[in-house]
Amino acid sequence: LRAPPTEEATAGVDIARYGADWSCMAIRRGLHLEEFIKWHGVDTVETTERVMAEANRYGINPKRDLGTKGTLRTRGVLIVDEAGLGAGPSDMLRRTHGYHVLGFNSARRARRHKQFHNRRAEAFFGLRDKLMEGTVAIPHDVELWAELIATEYFENDQGRLQIEKKDQLSARLGRSPDKADACAMCFSDDAYSRRVRVGSMVN
Protein backbone atom coordinates (compact mmCIF):
# COMPACT_ATOMS: atom_id res chain seq x y z
CA LEU A 1 0.00 0.00 0.00
CA ARG A 2 1.51 3.31 -1.08
CA ALA A 3 0.57 6.93 -0.59
CA PRO A 4 0.20 9.15 -3.68
CA PRO A 5 3.61 10.18 -5.08
CA THR A 6 2.56 13.81 -4.66
CA GLU A 7 2.77 13.35 -0.87
CA GLU A 8 6.10 14.61 0.42
CA ALA A 9 8.37 11.93 1.83
CA THR A 10 9.90 11.74 5.30
CA ALA A 11 12.91 9.59 6.16
CA GLY A 12 14.03 8.43 9.60
CA VAL A 13 17.79 7.79 9.50
CA ASP A 14 19.64 5.67 12.07
CA ILE A 15 23.38 5.92 11.40
CA ALA A 16 26.12 3.37 12.09
CA ARG A 17 29.73 3.17 10.89
CA TYR A 18 32.01 0.15 10.73
CA GLY A 19 31.30 -3.08 12.61
CA ALA A 20 28.21 -5.25 12.88
CA ASP A 21 25.61 -2.46 13.09
CA TRP A 22 23.81 -1.23 9.98
CA SER A 23 22.74 2.24 8.94
CA CYS A 24 19.04 2.27 8.18
CA MET A 25 16.59 4.64 6.48
CA ALA A 26 12.84 4.27 6.95
CA ILE A 27 10.95 6.04 4.17
CA ARG A 28 7.33 7.08 4.47
CA ARG A 29 4.82 9.15 2.55
CA GLY A 30 2.02 10.46 4.70
CA LEU A 31 1.12 7.67 7.11
CA HIS A 32 2.42 4.88 4.86
CA LEU A 33 5.89 3.48 5.55
CA GLU A 34 7.09 2.32 2.14
CA GLU A 35 10.61 0.97 2.44
CA PHE A 36 13.64 0.25 4.62
CA ILE A 37 17.09 0.79 3.15
CA LYS A 38 20.11 -0.64 4.99
CA TRP A 39 23.87 -0.59 4.47
CA HIS A 40 27.02 -1.01 6.55
CA GLY A 41 30.80 -1.03 6.45
CA VAL A 42 31.29 2.57 5.25
CA ASP A 43 32.48 5.78 6.89
CA THR A 44 30.26 8.74 7.69
CA VAL A 45 31.15 10.61 4.47
CA GLU A 46 30.01 7.66 2.35
CA THR A 47 26.95 7.30 4.56
CA THR A 48 26.04 10.96 3.95
CA GLU A 49 26.34 10.38 0.21
CA ARG A 50 24.15 7.28 0.45
CA VAL A 51 21.50 9.16 2.43
CA MET A 52 21.42 11.89 -0.22
CA ALA A 53 21.13 9.39 -3.06
CA GLU A 54 18.24 7.56 -1.43
CA ALA A 55 16.57 10.81 -0.35
CA ASN A 56 16.72 12.18 -3.88
CA ARG A 57 15.23 8.94 -5.21
CA TYR A 58 12.18 9.63 -3.05
CA GLY A 59 11.98 13.30 -3.94
CA ILE A 60 13.52 14.60 -0.71
CA ASN A 61 15.45 17.51 -2.12
CA PRO A 62 17.72 20.26 -0.76
CA LYS A 63 17.09 23.98 -1.08
CA ARG A 64 16.55 25.24 -4.59
CA ASP A 65 15.47 28.46 -6.28
CA LEU A 66 11.81 28.37 -7.25
CA GLY A 67 12.30 31.27 -9.63
CA THR A 68 9.78 33.53 -7.92
CA LYS A 69 11.36 36.40 -6.02
CA GLY A 70 14.47 34.27 -5.54
CA THR A 71 12.87 32.26 -2.72
CA LEU A 72 14.38 28.99 -1.57
CA ARG A 73 12.57 25.94 -0.32
CA THR A 74 13.18 22.30 0.44
CA ARG A 75 11.01 19.28 -0.23
CA GLY A 76 10.68 16.44 2.25
CA VAL A 77 12.24 15.91 5.66
CA LEU A 78 15.19 13.91 6.99
CA ILE A 79 14.98 12.97 10.67
CA VAL A 80 18.52 11.97 11.61
CA ASP A 81 19.74 10.41 14.84
CA GLU A 82 22.18 13.15 15.79
CA ALA A 83 23.61 11.44 18.87
CA GLY A 84 27.08 9.95 18.46
CA LEU A 85 27.92 8.97 14.88
CA GLY A 86 24.93 10.78 13.43
CA ALA A 87 26.11 14.26 14.41
CA GLY A 88 28.55 14.65 11.50
CA PRO A 89 26.20 13.46 8.73
CA SER A 90 23.36 15.49 10.23
CA ASP A 91 25.44 18.68 10.07
CA MET A 92 26.68 17.95 6.53
CA LEU A 93 23.19 17.21 5.23
CA ARG A 94 21.80 20.40 6.75
CA ARG A 95 24.59 22.97 6.43
CA THR A 96 26.62 21.80 3.45
CA HIS A 97 23.93 20.27 1.26
CA GLY A 98 20.85 22.24 2.31
CA TYR A 99 18.44 19.45 3.24
CA HIS A 100 15.65 20.00 5.74
CA VAL A 101 17.04 18.00 8.66
CA LEU A 102 15.47 17.48 12.06
CA GLY A 103 17.95 16.18 14.60
CA PHE A 104 16.67 13.36 16.80
CA ASN A 105 18.44 12.79 20.11
CA SER A 106 16.99 9.82 21.99
CA ALA A 107 18.35 11.04 25.33
CA ARG A 108 16.79 14.49 25.03
CA ARG A 109 13.96 15.48 27.35
CA ALA A 110 10.59 14.31 26.09
CA ARG A 111 7.99 16.86 25.13
CA ARG A 112 5.62 15.05 27.49
CA HIS A 113 8.34 14.79 30.09
CA LYS A 114 6.00 14.00 32.97
CA GLN A 115 4.97 10.82 31.20
CA PHE A 116 8.11 9.70 29.34
CA HIS A 117 11.72 9.41 30.47
CA ASN A 118 13.19 10.76 27.23
CA ARG A 119 12.54 11.34 23.54
CA ARG A 120 13.22 7.69 22.70
CA ALA A 121 10.47 6.41 24.97
CA GLU A 122 8.10 9.06 23.68
CA ALA A 123 8.79 8.09 20.05
CA PHE A 124 8.33 4.36 20.62
CA PHE A 125 5.11 4.80 22.57
CA GLY A 126 3.88 7.24 19.94
CA LEU A 127 4.49 4.58 17.28
CA ARG A 128 2.74 1.95 19.39
CA ASP A 129 -0.32 4.18 19.79
CA LYS A 130 -0.49 4.83 16.03
CA LEU A 131 -0.25 1.10 15.30
CA MET A 132 -2.93 0.23 17.85
CA GLU A 133 -5.22 2.95 16.48
CA GLY A 134 -4.60 1.73 12.93
CA THR A 135 -3.65 5.21 11.76
CA VAL A 136 -0.36 4.20 10.13
CA ALA A 137 0.53 1.49 7.62
CA ILE A 138 3.83 -0.35 7.78
CA PRO A 139 5.09 -3.25 5.65
CA HIS A 140 5.05 -6.87 6.74
CA ASP A 141 8.71 -6.96 7.71
CA VAL A 142 9.82 -9.84 9.92
CA GLU A 143 12.90 -8.04 11.25
CA LEU A 144 10.95 -4.90 12.13
CA TRP A 145 8.21 -6.74 14.01
CA ALA A 146 10.75 -8.88 15.86
CA GLU A 147 12.52 -5.71 17.03
CA LEU A 148 9.29 -3.97 18.09
CA ILE A 149 7.92 -6.98 19.93
CA ALA A 150 11.23 -7.57 21.74
CA THR A 151 11.49 -3.97 22.98
CA GLU A 152 10.70 -3.84 26.69
CA TYR A 153 9.81 -0.91 28.92
CA PHE A 154 9.29 -0.16 32.59
CA GLU A 155 8.15 2.60 34.90
CA ASN A 156 11.19 4.26 36.45
CA ASP A 157 11.62 5.77 39.94
CA GLN A 158 10.13 9.05 38.74
CA GLY A 159 6.99 7.30 37.52
CA ARG A 160 7.91 7.86 33.86
CA LEU A 161 7.82 5.27 31.12
CA GLN A 162 11.31 4.26 30.03
CA ILE A 163 12.53 1.99 27.22
CA GLU A 164 15.28 -0.48 28.02
CA LYS A 165 18.79 0.41 26.89
CA LYS A 166 19.60 -0.33 23.28
CA ASP A 167 22.54 -2.59 24.13
CA GLN A 168 20.27 -4.75 26.30
CA LEU A 169 17.84 -5.22 23.43
CA SER A 170 20.70 -5.83 20.99
CA ALA A 171 22.09 -8.56 23.25
CA ARG A 172 18.76 -10.41 23.23
CA LEU A 173 18.17 -9.98 19.52
CA GLY A 174 21.75 -10.73 18.52
CA ARG A 175 21.79 -7.55 16.42
CA SER A 176 21.02 -3.86 16.68
CA PRO A 177 17.33 -2.88 16.35
CA ASP A 178 18.06 -0.55 13.42
CA LYS A 179 14.70 -0.84 11.68
CA ALA A 180 12.69 -0.21 14.85
CA ASP A 181 14.76 2.87 15.66
CA ALA A 182 14.44 4.30 12.13
CA CYS A 183 10.70 3.56 12.09
CA ALA A 184 10.10 5.20 15.48
CA MET A 185 12.00 8.32 14.36
CA CYS A 186 10.10 8.39 11.08
CA PHE A 187 6.75 8.56 12.86
CA SER A 188 7.92 10.57 15.89
CA ASP A 189 6.50 13.88 17.06
CA ASP A 190 9.61 15.47 15.51
CA ALA A 191 8.23 14.53 12.11
CA TYR A 192 5.04 16.48 12.78
CA SER A 193 6.39 19.42 14.78
CA ARG A 194 7.77 21.25 11.74
CA ARG A 195 6.47 20.78 8.23
CA VAL A 196 8.35 21.79 5.10
CA ARG A 197 5.08 22.76 3.49
CA VAL A 198 3.47 26.10 5.11
CA GLY A 199 5.72 -5.18 29.01
CA SER A 200 6.28 -5.41 25.31
CA MET A 201 5.95 -2.48 22.98
CA VAL A 202 3.62 -4.47 20.72
CA ASN A 203 1.11 -6.91 22.17
Side-chain angles (χ1 to χ4, degrees):
L1 186 62
R2 290 178 178 268
T6 53
E7 182 81 37
E8 289 190 5
T10 297
V13 188
D14 183 42
I15 292 177
R17 196 165 177 255
Y18 301 117
D21 291 351
W22 292 65
S23 293
C24 182
M25 289 180 71
I27 310 285
R28 72 171 175 85
R29 291 186 191 277
L31 297 176
H32 301 263
L33 195 147
E34 296 191 358
E35 183 180 6
F36 287 105
I37 305 158
K38 294 180 68 176
W39 66 92
H40 79 300
V42 299
D43 63 25
T44 52
V45 174
E46 291 174 285
T47 285
T48 302
E49 293 172 351
R50 179 66 184 270
V51 171
M52 289 192 295
E54 300 296 350
N56 293 343
R57 184 163 67 87
Y58 270 88
I60 301 174
N61 304 126
K63 290 179 181 178
R64 63 191 187 281
D65 192 339
L66 294 181
T68 57
K69 299 181 180 180
T71 56
L72 294 173
R73 64 159 292 180
T74 55
R75 181 175 175 83
V77 181
L78 295 172
I79 303 174
V80 182
D81 182 1
E82 64 180 5
L85 294 173
S90 179
D91 288 343
M92 284 189 285
L93 289 164
R94 181 189 298 110
R95 298 178 184 176
T96 304
H97 301 289
Y99 286 86
H100 185 91
V101 177
L102 300 178
F104 183 91
N105 189 325
S106 60
R108 187 177 296 163
R109 176 176 171 172
R111 289 182 171 85
R112 290 166 288 173
H113 60 89
K114 293 183 179 179
Q115 184 177 1
F116 300 108
H117 175 66
N118 54 21
R119 193 67 60 83
R120 182 166 183 256
E122 188 174 39
F124 269 85
F125 272 95
L127 175 61
R128 189 189 74 160
D129 290 345
K130 292 179 178 69
L131 289 170
M132 293 179 69
E133 293 163 1
T135 56
V136 298
I138 64 176
H140 180 70
D141 186 294
V142 175
E143 286 187 343
L144 170 63
W145 282 105
E147 292 169 11
L148 291 175
I149 291 170
T151 302
E152 297 181 353
Y153 68 92
F154 58 95
E155 186 176 299
N156 64 23
D157 294 340
Q158 290 76 44
R160 298 176 182 139
L161 294 172
Q162 183 172 342
I163 303 296
E164 66 178 326
K165 292 183 178 179
K166 188 172 180 176
D167 56 359
Q168 293 175 314
L169 175 57
S170 298
R172 285 204 315 278
L173 284 170
R175 56 183 168 80
S176 179
D178 307 307
K179 287 185 177 180
D181 286 342
C183 183
M185 283 192 288
C186 197
F187 285 110
S188 69
D189 289 345
D190 299 77
Y192 302 98
S193 62
R194 291 170 57 195
R195 299 296 297 175
V196 177
R197 286 192 295 185
V198 211
S200 170
M201 290 303 302
V202 179
N203 295 321

Short mmCIF file of all heavy atoms in Angstrom, two decimals, residues 121-167:
data_model
loop_
_atom_site.label_atom_id
_atom_site.label_comp_id
_atom_site.label_asym_id
_atom_site.label_seq_id
_atom_site.Cartn_x
_atom_site.Cartn_y
_atom_site.Cartn_z
N ALA A 121 11.69 7.04 24.45
CA ALA A 121 10.47 6.41 24.97
C ALA A 121 9.23 7.05 24.36
O ALA A 121 8.27 6.35 23.99
CB ALA A 121 10.44 6.53 26.49
N GLU A 122 9.24 8.35 24.24
CA GLU A 122 8.10 9.06 23.68
C GLU A 122 7.85 8.64 22.23
O GLU A 122 6.70 8.43 21.82
CB GLU A 122 8.35 10.57 23.76
CG GLU A 122 7.17 11.43 23.39
CD GLU A 122 7.46 12.89 23.65
OE1 GLU A 122 8.60 13.34 23.38
OE2 GLU A 122 6.55 13.60 24.13
N ALA A 123 8.93 8.48 21.45
CA ALA A 123 8.79 8.09 20.05
C ALA A 123 8.26 6.67 19.91
O ALA A 123 7.37 6.40 19.09
CB ALA A 123 10.14 8.22 19.34
N PHE A 124 8.78 5.74 20.72
CA PHE A 124 8.33 4.36 20.62
C PHE A 124 6.88 4.21 21.07
O PHE A 124 6.10 3.47 20.44
CB PHE A 124 9.24 3.44 21.42
CG PHE A 124 10.38 2.88 20.63
CD1 PHE A 124 11.56 3.59 20.48
CD2 PHE A 124 10.26 1.65 20.00
CE1 PHE A 124 12.61 3.10 19.73
CE2 PHE A 124 11.30 1.13 19.25
CZ PHE A 124 12.49 1.85 19.11
N PHE A 125 6.49 4.89 22.14
CA PHE A 125 5.11 4.80 22.57
C PHE A 125 4.18 5.51 21.59
O PHE A 125 3.03 5.09 21.38
CB PHE A 125 4.95 5.37 23.98
CG PHE A 125 5.17 4.34 25.05
CD1 PHE A 125 6.41 4.20 25.64
CD2 PHE A 125 4.14 3.50 25.44
CE1 PHE A 125 6.64 3.23 26.60
CE2 PHE A 125 4.35 2.54 26.42
CZ PHE A 125 5.60 2.40 27.00
N GLY A 126 4.67 6.58 20.97
CA GLY A 126 3.88 7.24 19.94
C GLY A 126 3.62 6.31 18.76
O GLY A 126 2.50 6.26 18.21
N LEU A 127 4.66 5.55 18.36
CA LEU A 127 4.49 4.58 17.28
C LEU A 127 3.51 3.49 17.69
O LEU A 127 2.64 3.09 16.91
CB LEU A 127 5.85 3.98 16.91
CG LEU A 127 5.82 2.85 15.88
CD1 LEU A 127 5.26 3.35 14.55
CD2 LEU A 127 7.23 2.28 15.69
N ARG A 128 3.65 3.00 18.91
CA ARG A 128 2.74 1.95 19.39
C ARG A 128 1.29 2.42 19.34
O ARG A 128 0.39 1.70 18.89
CB ARG A 128 3.09 1.53 20.81
CG ARG A 128 2.29 0.30 21.27
CD ARG A 128 2.47 -0.01 22.74
NE ARG A 128 1.75 0.93 23.59
CZ ARG A 128 1.42 0.68 24.86
NH1 ARG A 128 1.77 -0.46 25.42
NH2 ARG A 128 0.79 1.58 25.57
N ASP A 129 1.05 3.65 19.80
CA ASP A 129 -0.32 4.18 19.79
C ASP A 129 -0.86 4.26 18.37
O ASP A 129 -2.02 3.92 18.12
CB ASP A 129 -0.35 5.57 20.45
CG ASP A 129 -0.10 5.51 21.95
OD1 ASP A 129 -0.20 4.40 22.52
OD2 ASP A 129 0.19 6.57 22.54
N LYS A 130 -0.04 4.72 17.43
CA LYS A 130 -0.49 4.83 16.03
C LYS A 130 -0.82 3.46 15.46
O LYS A 130 -1.80 3.30 14.72
CB LYS A 130 0.57 5.53 15.19
CG LYS A 130 0.77 7.01 15.52
CD LYS A 130 1.86 7.61 14.65
CE LYS A 130 2.05 9.11 14.92
NZ LYS A 130 2.63 9.37 16.24
N LEU A 131 0.00 2.45 15.80
CA LEU A 131 -0.25 1.10 15.30
C LEU A 131 -1.53 0.53 15.90
O LEU A 131 -2.33 -0.10 15.21
CB LEU A 131 0.94 0.20 15.63
CG LEU A 131 2.22 0.47 14.85
CD1 LEU A 131 3.39 -0.33 15.44
CD2 LEU A 131 2.04 0.10 13.37
N MET A 132 -1.74 0.75 17.19
CA MET A 132 -2.93 0.23 17.85
C MET A 132 -4.19 0.92 17.35
O MET A 132 -5.26 0.31 17.27
CB MET A 132 -2.79 0.36 19.37
CG MET A 132 -1.70 -0.52 19.96
SD MET A 132 -1.52 -0.33 21.76
CE MET A 132 -3.04 -1.08 22.34
N GLU A 133 -4.07 2.20 17.00
CA GLU A 133 -5.22 2.95 16.48
C GLU A 133 -5.46 2.65 15.00
O GLU A 133 -6.52 2.99 14.45
CB GLU A 133 -4.97 4.45 16.65
CG GLU A 133 -4.95 4.91 18.11
CD GLU A 133 -4.31 6.27 18.27
OE1 GLU A 133 -3.91 6.88 17.25
OE2 GLU A 133 -4.21 6.74 19.42
N GLY A 134 -4.48 2.02 14.35
CA GLY A 134 -4.60 1.73 12.93
C GLY A 134 -4.48 2.95 12.04
O GLY A 134 -5.00 2.98 10.92
N THR A 135 -3.77 3.97 12.52
CA THR A 135 -3.65 5.21 11.76
C THR A 135 -2.41 5.27 10.89
O THR A 135 -2.22 6.23 10.15
CB THR A 135 -3.66 6.43 12.70
OG1 THR A 135 -2.61 6.29 13.67
CG2 THR A 135 -4.99 6.54 13.42
N VAL A 136 -1.54 4.25 10.99
CA VAL A 136 -0.36 4.20 10.13
C VAL A 136 -0.30 2.82 9.48
O VAL A 136 -0.86 1.84 9.99
CB VAL A 136 0.95 4.46 10.90
CG1 VAL A 136 0.95 5.85 11.51
CG2 VAL A 136 1.17 3.40 11.98
N ALA A 137 0.36 2.75 8.33
CA ALA A 137 0.53 1.49 7.62
C ALA A 137 2.01 1.21 7.47
O ALA A 137 2.76 2.06 6.99
CB ALA A 137 -0.14 1.56 6.24
N ILE A 138 2.43 0.03 7.93
CA ILE A 138 3.83 -0.35 7.78
C ILE A 138 3.90 -1.71 7.09
O ILE A 138 2.95 -2.50 7.15
CB ILE A 138 4.57 -0.40 9.14
CG1 ILE A 138 3.97 -1.48 10.05
CG2 ILE A 138 4.52 0.96 9.83
CD1 ILE A 138 4.72 -1.63 11.36
N PRO A 139 5.00 -1.99 6.40
CA PRO A 139 5.09 -3.25 5.65
C PRO A 139 5.20 -4.46 6.56
O PRO A 139 5.57 -4.35 7.73
CB PRO A 139 6.37 -3.07 4.82
CG PRO A 139 7.19 -2.09 5.59
CD PRO A 139 6.20 -1.16 6.24
N HIS A 140 4.87 -5.62 6.00
CA HIS A 140 5.05 -6.87 6.74
C HIS A 140 6.53 -7.22 6.67
O HIS A 140 6.99 -7.85 5.72
CB HIS A 140 4.20 -7.98 6.13
CG HIS A 140 4.36 -9.29 6.85
ND1 HIS A 140 3.86 -9.50 8.13
CD2 HIS A 140 4.97 -10.44 6.49
CE1 HIS A 140 4.15 -10.72 8.51
NE2 HIS A 140 4.83 -11.32 7.55
N ASP A 141 7.26 -6.79 7.67
CA ASP A 141 8.71 -6.96 7.71
C ASP A 141 9.06 -7.76 8.97
O ASP A 141 8.86 -7.27 10.08
CB ASP A 141 9.39 -5.60 7.71
CG ASP A 141 10.90 -5.67 7.59
OD1 ASP A 141 11.54 -6.19 8.53
OD2 ASP A 141 11.44 -5.21 6.57
N VAL A 142 9.56 -8.95 8.79
CA VAL A 142 9.82 -9.84 9.92
C VAL A 142 10.82 -9.23 10.90
O VAL A 142 10.64 -9.31 12.12
CB VAL A 142 10.31 -11.22 9.42
CG1 VAL A 142 10.71 -12.10 10.59
CG2 VAL A 142 9.24 -11.90 8.58
N GLU A 143 11.89 -8.64 10.38
CA GLU A 143 12.90 -8.04 11.25
C GLU A 143 12.31 -6.90 12.08
O GLU A 143 12.56 -6.80 13.28
CB GLU A 143 14.09 -7.53 10.43
CG GLU A 143 15.00 -8.61 9.89
CD GLU A 143 16.23 -8.03 9.22
OE1 GLU A 143 16.22 -6.83 8.88
OE2 GLU A 143 17.20 -8.77 9.04
N LEU A 144 11.54 -6.04 11.43
CA LEU A 144 10.95 -4.90 12.13
C LEU A 144 10.04 -5.36 13.27
O LEU A 144 10.16 -4.89 14.41
CB LEU A 144 10.15 -4.04 11.16
CG LEU A 144 9.30 -2.94 11.80
CD1 LEU A 144 10.16 -1.92 12.53
CD2 LEU A 144 8.42 -2.26 10.75
N TRP A 145 9.15 -6.30 12.98
CA TRP A 145 8.21 -6.74 14.01
C TRP A 145 8.93 -7.46 15.15
O TRP A 145 8.55 -7.33 16.32
CB TRP A 145 7.13 -7.62 13.40
CG TRP A 145 6.11 -6.79 12.69
CD1 TRP A 145 5.97 -6.64 11.34
CD2 TRP A 145 5.12 -5.94 13.29
NE1 TRP A 145 4.95 -5.76 11.06
CE2 TRP A 145 4.41 -5.32 12.24
CE3 TRP A 145 4.76 -5.66 14.60
CZ2 TRP A 145 3.36 -4.43 12.48
CZ3 TRP A 145 3.73 -4.77 14.83
CH2 TRP A 145 3.03 -4.17 13.78
N ALA A 146 9.98 -8.21 14.81
CA ALA A 146 10.75 -8.88 15.86
C ALA A 146 11.38 -7.85 16.79
O ALA A 146 11.40 -8.02 18.02
CB ALA A 146 11.83 -9.76 15.25
N GLU A 147 11.88 -6.76 16.22
CA GLU A 147 12.52 -5.71 17.03
C GLU A 147 11.49 -4.98 17.90
O GLU A 147 11.74 -4.69 19.08
CB GLU A 147 13.25 -4.73 16.11
CG GLU A 147 14.46 -5.35 15.42
CD GLU A 147 15.02 -4.49 14.31
OE1 GLU A 147 14.62 -3.30 14.19
OE2 GLU A 147 15.87 -5.00 13.56
N LEU A 148 10.32 -4.68 17.32
CA LEU A 148 9.29 -3.97 18.09
C LEU A 148 8.75 -4.83 19.22
O LEU A 148 8.57 -4.37 20.35
CB LEU A 148 8.16 -3.54 17.15
CG LEU A 148 8.48 -2.45 16.13
CD1 LEU A 148 7.29 -2.23 15.21
CD2 LEU A 148 8.87 -1.15 16.80
N ILE A 149 8.49 -6.09 18.92
CA ILE A 149 7.92 -6.98 19.93
C ILE A 149 8.91 -7.24 21.07
O ILE A 149 8.53 -7.37 22.23
CB ILE A 149 7.49 -8.31 19.28
CG1 ILE A 149 6.28 -8.06 18.37
CG2 ILE A 149 7.14 -9.36 20.34
CD1 ILE A 149 5.92 -9.24 17.49
N ALA A 150 10.21 -7.27 20.73
CA ALA A 150 11.23 -7.57 21.74
C ALA A 150 11.55 -6.37 22.63
O ALA A 150 12.15 -6.52 23.70
CB ALA A 150 12.51 -8.05 21.06
N THR A 151 11.15 -5.18 22.22
CA THR A 151 11.49 -3.97 22.98
C THR A 151 10.68 -3.90 24.26
O THR A 151 9.44 -3.87 24.23
CB THR A 151 11.23 -2.71 22.13
OG1 THR A 151 12.00 -2.79 20.93
CG2 THR A 151 11.62 -1.45 22.90
N GLU A 152 11.37 -3.86 25.39
CA GLU A 152 10.70 -3.84 26.69
C GLU A 152 10.78 -2.45 27.32
O GLU A 152 11.66 -1.65 27.01
CB GLU A 152 11.32 -4.88 27.62
CG GLU A 152 11.16 -6.31 27.10
CD GLU A 152 11.76 -7.34 28.03
OE1 GLU A 152 12.42 -6.94 29.02
OE2 GLU A 152 11.57 -8.54 27.77
N TYR A 153 9.85 -2.19 28.23
CA TYR A 153 9.81 -0.91 28.92
C TYR A 153 9.47 -1.13 30.38
O TYR A 153 9.06 -2.22 30.79
CB TYR A 153 8.79 0.02 28.27
CG TYR A 153 7.35 -0.41 28.44
CD1 TYR A 153 6.59 0.04 29.51
CD2 TYR A 153 6.76 -1.29 27.54
CE1 TYR A 153 5.28 -0.36 29.69
CE2 TYR A 153 5.44 -1.70 27.70
CZ TYR A 153 4.70 -1.23 28.77
OH TYR A 153 3.41 -1.63 28.94
N PHE A 154 9.62 -0.08 31.17
CA PHE A 154 9.29 -0.16 32.59
C PHE A 154 8.98 1.25 33.08
O PHE A 154 9.26 2.24 32.40
CB PHE A 154 10.44 -0.77 33.39
CG PHE A 154 11.75 -0.03 33.27
CD1 PHE A 154 12.11 0.93 34.21
CD2 PHE A 154 12.62 -0.29 32.20
CE1 PHE A 154 13.31 1.61 34.11
CE2 PHE A 154 13.83 0.38 32.10
CZ PHE A 154 14.18 1.34 33.04
N GLU A 155 8.40 1.32 34.26
CA GLU A 155 8.15 2.60 34.90
C GLU A 155 9.30 2.87 35.84
O GLU A 155 9.58 2.07 36.74
CB GLU A 155 6.82 2.57 35.65
CG GLU A 155 6.43 3.92 36.23
CD GLU A 155 5.06 3.88 36.88
OE1 GLU A 155 4.07 3.60 36.16
OE2 GLU A 155 4.98 4.13 38.11
N ASN A 156 10.01 3.99 35.63
CA ASN A 156 11.19 4.26 36.45
C ASN A 156 10.82 4.89 37.80
O ASN A 156 9.64 5.04 38.13
CB ASN A 156 12.19 5.13 35.68
CG ASN A 156 11.64 6.51 35.34
OD1 ASN A 156 10.72 7.02 35.98
ND2 ASN A 156 12.23 7.13 34.33
N ASP A 157 11.84 5.25 38.57
CA ASP A 157 11.62 5.77 39.94
C ASP A 157 10.85 7.07 39.95
O ASP A 157 10.25 7.44 40.97
CB ASP A 157 12.96 5.97 40.64
CG ASP A 157 13.70 4.66 40.90
OD1 ASP A 157 13.02 3.60 40.88
OD2 ASP A 157 14.92 4.68 41.10
N GLN A 158 10.87 7.79 38.83
CA GLN A 158 10.13 9.05 38.74
C GLN A 158 8.70 8.85 38.23
O GLN A 158 7.97 9.82 38.02
CB GLN A 158 10.87 10.04 37.82
CG GLN A 158 12.17 10.59 38.38
CD GLN A 158 13.29 9.57 38.31
OE1 GLN A 158 13.46 8.88 37.28
NE2 GLN A 158 14.08 9.44 39.37
N GLY A 159 8.33 7.58 38.01
CA GLY A 159 6.99 7.30 37.52
C GLY A 159 6.83 7.54 36.03
O GLY A 159 5.70 7.62 35.53
N ARG A 160 7.95 7.63 35.31
CA ARG A 160 7.91 7.86 33.86
C ARG A 160 8.18 6.57 33.11
O ARG A 160 8.94 5.72 33.58
CB ARG A 160 8.94 8.92 33.46
CG ARG A 160 8.69 10.28 34.10
CD ARG A 160 9.80 11.24 33.75
NE ARG A 160 9.61 12.52 34.40
CZ ARG A 160 10.58 13.25 34.95
NH1 ARG A 160 11.83 12.81 34.92
NH2 ARG A 160 10.33 14.39 35.52
N LEU A 161 7.60 6.44 31.94
CA LEU A 161 7.82 5.27 31.12
C LEU A 161 9.19 5.35 30.46
O LEU A 161 9.56 6.39 29.89
CB LEU A 161 6.73 5.16 30.06
CG LEU A 161 5.32 4.89 30.61
CD1 LEU A 161 4.28 5.00 29.51
CD2 LEU A 161 5.26 3.53 31.28
N GLN A 162 9.94 4.29 30.54
CA GLN A 162 11.31 4.26 30.03
C GLN A 162 11.53 2.99 29.21
O GLN A 162 11.12 1.89 29.61
CB GLN A 162 12.30 4.33 31.19
CG GLN A 162 13.76 4.38 30.77
CD GLN A 162 14.69 4.63 31.95
OE1 GLN A 162 14.25 5.09 33.01
NE2 GLN A 162 15.96 4.36 31.79
N ILE A 163 12.18 3.13 28.06
CA ILE A 163 12.53 1.99 27.22
C ILE A 163 13.87 1.43 27.69
O ILE A 163 14.77 2.18 28.09
CB ILE A 163 12.64 2.43 25.74
CG1 ILE A 163 11.33 3.06 25.27
CG2 ILE A 163 13.01 1.25 24.85
CD1 ILE A 163 10.16 2.13 25.27
N GLU A 164 14.01 0.13 27.64
CA GLU A 164 15.28 -0.48 28.02
C GLU A 164 16.42 0.05 27.15
O GLU A 164 16.19 0.57 26.05
CB GLU A 164 15.21 -2.00 27.86
CG GLU A 164 15.05 -2.46 26.42
CD GLU A 164 15.03 -3.96 26.28
OE1 GLU A 164 15.72 -4.64 27.06
OE2 GLU A 164 14.32 -4.46 25.39
N LYS A 165 17.64 -0.06 27.64
CA LYS A 165 18.79 0.41 26.89
C LYS A 165 18.96 -0.39 25.61
O LYS A 165 18.67 -1.58 25.55
CB LYS A 165 20.06 0.30 27.75
CG LYS A 165 20.07 1.25 28.93
CD LYS A 165 21.37 1.15 29.70
CE LYS A 165 21.40 2.14 30.86
NZ LYS A 165 22.65 2.05 31.64
N LYS A 166 19.47 0.30 24.59
CA LYS A 166 19.60 -0.33 23.28
C LYS A 166 20.53 -1.53 23.31
O LYS A 166 20.28 -2.54 22.62
CB LYS A 166 20.10 0.71 22.27
CG LYS A 166 20.08 0.24 20.83
CD LYS A 166 20.39 1.39 19.89
CE LYS A 166 20.38 0.96 18.44
NZ LYS A 166 20.60 2.10 17.52
N ASP A 167 21.61 -1.46 24.10
CA ASP A 167 22.54 -2.59 24.13
C ASP A 167 21.92 -3.82 24.79
O ASP A 167 22.28 -4.96 24.47
CB ASP A 167 23.86 -2.21 24.81
CG ASP A 167 23.68 -1.67 26.22
OD1 ASP A 167 22.54 -1.57 26.69
OD2 ASP A 167 24.71 -1.36 26.86
#
